[in-house]
Amino acid sequence: MANATIRVQFGSPDGPEGTGGHLSAEVDSRPGGLNGGKTAFSPGETVYILVYKSANVAITETICSAGSLTAQGTATVTITDELMFEEADTASLSVPARSSLASSVWYGRSLGALTLQSDKVAVKSSVKGVGVAKVTYEAQALVYALASPVSLNGEVDFSILALIKGAAT
């Protein structure tokens, strides 16, 4: 079986990291997703990649080491995260939310109501403390299709690197 590899560059390609933006990518492994729940692929198959970005990040370039990488539009994805509040009143979602949190439940100690902040990643609780909350929300993903060749230099077991570059705007 072939592996799908993703490299994601954070921040501006010309400047320092830490611009306050979010950019991440993953193979769509959802059971009902574009890859049908598959995470291992055969040569010649197309692999769908979900790219999550904050509103202040623009995709500047997409490159792959073999095959082709093409934009396929967007998808709304339901995400479930466990937020860890470590003697704090703020925790971060794994990807930016599309809108407000759909649901939340505290495991053990409750720190009160949860509010999604304007950056769509930070979540603030009513009080500072130690707690774990399970949250569900919708995220907007950019969909990319990575089409692989049936062989590379006569090999049928190979990896392809997909690079998605972004810059904070």
Side-chain angles (χ1 to χ4, degrees):
M1 291 287 158
N3 296 322
T5 303
I6 301 170
R7 175 182 170 209
V8 180
Q9 179 176 337
F10 293 86
S12 170
D14 301 319
E17 296 183 8
T19 58
H22 174 96
L23 179 61
S24 62
E26 64 186 26
V27 171
D28 186 354
S29 61
R30 301 171 296 153
L34 298 167
N35 294 316
K38 288 176 53 176
T39 57
F41 304 95
S42 298
E45 285 189 285
T46 296
V47 178
Y48 292 94
I49 298 169
L50 302 175
V51 176
Y52 300 97
K53 67 179 197 64
S54 55
N56 67 331
V57 171
I59 303 297
T60 58
E61 188 175 16
T62 59
I63 310 165
C64 58
S65 62
S68 63
L69 186 63
T70 57
Q72 301 291 305
T74 62
T76 301
V77 180
T78 300
I79 307 285
T80 300
D81 281 341
E82 285 189 354
L83 300 181
M84 306 293 173
F85 293 84
E86 301 171 8
E87 197 56 43
D89 64 357
T90 305
S92 296
L93 300 174
S94 61
V95 300
R98 185 174 180 202
S99 57
S100 62
L101 301 176
S103 67
S104 64
V105 62
W106 287 101
Y107 292 142
R109 177 179 295 148
S110 171
L111 302 180
L114 296 174
T115 307
L116 181 63
Q117 301 301 290
S118 61
D119 68 357
K120 302 292 188 189
V121 174
V123 175
K124 189 170 178 97
S125 62
S126 299
V127 297
K128 180 179 175 179
V130 175
V132 178
K134 181 174 87 169
V135 297
T136 302
Y137 59 97
E138 287 188 343
Q140 186 78 24
L142 302 174
V143 177
Y144 286 85
L146 175 62
S148 74
V150 294
S151 69
L152 283 174
N153 298 329
E155 298 286 331
V156 293
D157 288 329
F158 53 83
S159 295
I160 296 175
L161 179 67
L163 172 63
I164 296 103
K165 290 185 177 184
T169 57

